[in-house]
Amino acid sequence: MTDAVTFPTPGRIPYPGGCVLEPAPYALDWLLKWPADVTVNGTLHAGVPVFPLLRDLLRDPAAHGLTLKQAQAARDRFLDTAGQALEAEGGQRAWLEREFR
């Protein structure tokens, strides 16, 4: 069984360094805007910000041909993969979870 919503794993977050922003808050901001190719039920959404799209899918899964369970599974995969990237920069997965509320 394949996932109804697919997207790549975010790679290492491109922290520019310097004193402008600490790595963890920068990483959170970057992940909330991170663009990638997302496929929803076979339809490609090229180069879209993943987090806002997932929020839309959760808000109205039927409008995208999904069940709530499928939208929640996509959210959970994002939390797992993006959460790992965020934690690598000193952040917390809970920060991403809070953004979905």
Side-chain angles (χ1 to χ4, degrees):
M1 181 176 163
T2 60
D3 294 319
V5 181
T6 61
F7 49 86
T9 299
R12 180 134 173 95
I13 295 170
Y15 180 64
C19 61
V20 175
L21 190 60
E22 292 295 320
Y26 176 85
L28 175 63
D29 185 61
W30 187 86
L31 288 165
L32 294 176
K33 298 173 184 173
W34 168 59
D37 291 348
V38 180
T39 302
V40 180
N41 276 336
T43 301
L44 175 64
H45 300 266
V48 298
V50 178
F51 171 76
L53 178 58
L54 293 177
R55 240 186 2 204
D56 289 346
L57 297 179
L58 287 165
R59 227 178 266 130
D60 190 2
H64 301 275
L66 299 174
T67 65
L68 179 57
K69 188 174 182 177
Q70 289 171 316
Q72 290 170 334
R75 177 206 53 211
D76 292 347
R77 277 193 315 284
F78 178 80
L79 288 172
D80 287 342
T81 60
Q84 291 172 18
L86 182 57
E87 289 169 349
E89 298 297 332
Q92 299 174 21
R93 176 187 160 129
W95 298 352
L96 286 171
E97 292 170 352
R98 182 181 60 228
E99 294 295 328
F100 277 106
R101 288 188 224 133

